[in-house]
Amino acid sequence: MSSTIQSDPHASYRSVWSTKPILRLVYEDYYRRIAAACVAGETIEIGGGIGQLKNFIPAAISSDIQHSPMVDVVADAQNLPFGSGAISNIVMLDVLHHIEFPVLFFREAERVLRAGGRCVMIEPAITPGSTVFYRLIHPEPVRMRATPFVEGLPNPERDPYDSNQAIPTLLATRDRLQFERLFPNLEFVEVSWFSFWVYPLSGGFKRWTLMPASLGRRVLAFEKRIESALGRMLGFRTMIVLQKKSA
């Protein structure tokens, strides 16, 4: 392994980002959605990775479990190094489904958010339209029988890319009532479902793509017009926004 990869585990992702316009088109839409859902105040990004959120929220503090040049703070989402009630927004893109014990993260989010503060997440959505792709084509597993509320001691040797793509969908649907009982100070203020064709055809962070950016821009605009009607059936993405209740 080269010294560059050792010192920067996100180098290969940034390389693809810089050379793939369709990828930037897709993820810039995600970042805009996240920025629009935030409230005023200090913003912490969990899983900052390649550091693109700052193009949309310049003052955001980027954190990641792995050190890289684009990260401001190295931290585990299950043990955040921030004071209680100190943060206005916690934002995450494709992170929740990688966290070993999501219940530990939500406990920390409940602690560090101020009253009225938000946790804004965009994650894979397991829907009738996306399930074949996520189960058979995407490399990460989908375990719909899992529970998001298992609790344990985080393993420092665990691969940070281990995952279960079903976790966000389970939290927003089947296990939502249980979540609300466990975290009574966190309320759902938005669950939206979107992203139909451009994302899977883009190839994500792979080098290949089945859709040029010129076509992707037009298709993405069409997707936005129909997402409120068809998102729950066809969407590949969900945005979950939680807000800490006032005292």
Side-chain angles (χ1 to χ4, degrees):
M1 182 180 292
S2 71
S3 59
T4 300
I5 297 299
Q6 287 177 327
S7 61
D8 184 0
H10 306 119
S12 62
Y13 294 99
R14 283 209 306 277
S15 174
V16 175
W17 177 274
S18 66
T19 59
K20 196 170 178 182
I22 186 67
L23 176 69
R24 297 196 298 272
L25 180 69
V26 169
Y27 276 79
E28 285 168 1
D29 173 58
Y30 298 162
Y31 288 127
R32 289 189 184 97
R33 292 173 187 262
I34 288 172
C38 289
V39 297
E42 189 88 276
T43 296
I44 304 298
E45 181 185 20
I46 305 294
I50 62 174
Q52 296 303 316
L53 176 71
K54 290 188 179 183
N55 293 324
F56 301 87
I57 308 177
I61 297 173
S62 176
S63 74
D64 199 283
I65 199 169
Q66 301 178 100
H67 172 77
S68 79
M70 307 302 291
V71 171
D72 300 313
V73 178
V74 176
D76 186 335
Q78 300 163 112
N79 184 21
L80 295 173
F82 307 110
S84 298
I87 305 301
S88 294
N89 303 286
I90 297 173
V91 302
M92 305 160 62
L93 175 53
D94 285 339
V95 174
L96 179 64
H97 69 282
H98 289 287
I99 294 176
E100 185 175 9
F101 299 111
V103 68
L104 300 184
F105 162 69
F106 287 117
R107 192 172 295 152
E108 282 290 86
E110 194 173 40
R111 178 183 66 82
V112 304
L113 285 173
R114 66 168 175 82
R118 290 185 167 187
C119 180
V120 182
M121 303 170 281
I122 289 182
E123 293 285 334
I126 310 304
T127 65
S130 72
T131 187
V132 171
F133 171 84
Y134 282 126
R135 289 181 182 275
L136 301 182
I137 299 175
H138 199 280
E140 296 174 356
V142 176
R143 303 186 185 98
M144 295 299 290
R145 295 185 179 181
T147 173
F149 306 116
V150 172
E151 185 172 345
L153 187 65
N155 177 9
E157 303 301 321
R158 177 179 180 266
D159 184 344
Y161 296 105
D162 284 351
S163 65
N164 177 6
Q165 294 183 101
I167 293 296
T169 299
L170 294 174
L171 283 173
T173 56
R174 187 197 72 187
D175 296 328
R176 180 164 172 170
L177 290 177
Q178 187 176 356
F179 178 93
E180 292 170 341
R181 288 194 295 268
L182 287 171
F183 301 99
N185 293 320
L186 296 177
E187 60 182 340
F188 287 84
V189 296
E190 179 182 343
V191 177
S192 56
W193 312 83
F194 60 98
S195 186
F196 305 135
W197 306 290
V198 179
Y199 164 65
L201 294 177
S202 75
F205 279 89
K206 302 297 184 182
R207 295 283 178 180
W208 60 266
T209 181
L210 299 178
M211 180 174 288
S214 56
L215 176 60
R217 192 176 303 277
R218 295 194 294 271
V219 176
L220 191 61
F222 175 70
E223 289 184 9
K224 290 181 179 179
R225 291 198 294 271
I226 64 173
E227 65 184 38
S228 61
L230 299 179
R232 186 64 187 91
M233 287 297 296
L234 302 179
F236 279 69
R237 291 289 188 174
T238 182
M239 184 163 81
I240 302 171
V241 182
L242 303 170
Q243 183 165 296
K244 185 172 179 178
K245 296 178 181 178
S246 299

